[in-house]
Amino acid sequence: MTLDDALTALRAQVEEGRAEGMASYHKQTREVMGIPNPALNDLTKSWRQSLSVEDRVTLADQLWQTDIFEARIAAAKLLTQARLRPDEAAWTLIQSWVPDFDSWAIADHACMAGQKRLVAEPARIDTVEGWTKSDHMWTRRAALVITLPWTKQNNPKPEELAIRDRVLGWAAGYVEDQDWFIQKAVAWWLRDLSKHDPDRTRSFLEGHGDKLKAFARKEAGKYLA
């Protein structure tokens, strides 16, 4: 499949009159086609089934470079799969996207693809730790979003607990960052963690919660008794 083929398939899913509302909601200055997410899901699922891993990585790279809103999301969805072998090229490509993040929707879809690659090879967390020191807010935020799978284990292994504590250390370094998206990301991580590890969540909030903005503290403790 060529890039032109993919863009033609995307444009066939456009809903008339949808683009303007999407551009406003997602605060986009780049081109927005106006494609609903279910249609993107169906289209990229069919591409994943018909293309080799190598061809998917190539197409994802090309779609991302168009800088079209839905094309970037489709690029991420092409690589969102637990079993992806070999996956080094996919992981390298996902890393290359991070400095381009400027929108929560695009960033979150790319991070969902990245989550699969981290779970497949947890040692990649070492790379993600470097993001926490970036001057680019979206890169710092991505370090929390991409590690969300470590909030969800009910019976974590020692190595999984070690990663959980490591990311909580990053979050502790974020609490005084006043950017809304950073505060929201910390709250999101803690809120999800509280469903599976309430004690660690309470401990974090007792130690650092006073430095979070009020909305973030409330969100982080939403599911705590």
Side-chain angles (χ1 to χ4, degrees), residues 84-95 117 121 124:
L84 194 68
R85 291 291 184 270
D87 76 339
E88 189 59 42
W91 172 238
T92 298
L93 181 59
I94 292 165
Q95 289 179 76
R117 307 284 49 84
E121 184 48 74
R124 290 168 174 159

Side-chain angles (χ1 to χ4, degrees), residues 48 56 73-84 94 109-114 116-117:
R48 288 197 305 267
R56 284 163 56 186
I73 290 178
K77 288 179 181 292
L78 263 175
L79 303 182
T80 306
Q81 183 176 335
R83 294 185 179 181
L84 194 68
I94 292 165
H109 278 91
C111 283
M112 281 188 277
K116 306 297 185 183
R117 307 284 49 84

Side-chain angles (χ1 to χ4, degrees), residues 192-205:
D192 283 8
L193 180 65
S194 72
K195 300 175 188 177
H196 307 275
D197 195 340
D199 290 343
R200 269 184 172 78
T201 308
R202 288 192 188 95
S203 179
F204 184 96
L205 290 173

Side-chain angles (χ1 to χ4, degrees), residues 85-143:
R85 291 291 184 270
D87 76 339
E88 189 59 42
W91 172 238
T92 298
L93 181 59
I94 292 165
Q95 289 179 76
S96 77
W97 293 342
V98 176
D100 294 339
F101 290 171
D102 60 5
S103 158
W104 64 265
I106 292 173
D108 288 1
H109 278 91
C111 283
M112 281 188 277
Q115 288 171 12
K116 306 297 185 183
R117 307 284 49 84
L118 283 184
V119 171
E121 184 48 74
R124 290 168 174 159
I125 291 286
D126 291 344
T127 297
V128 176
E129 185 162 26
W131 302 355
T132 66
K133 307 300 182 184
S134 174
D135 293 334
H136 181 227
M137 181 276 290
W138 292 101
T139 297
R140 297 196 306 277
R141 177 183 179 273

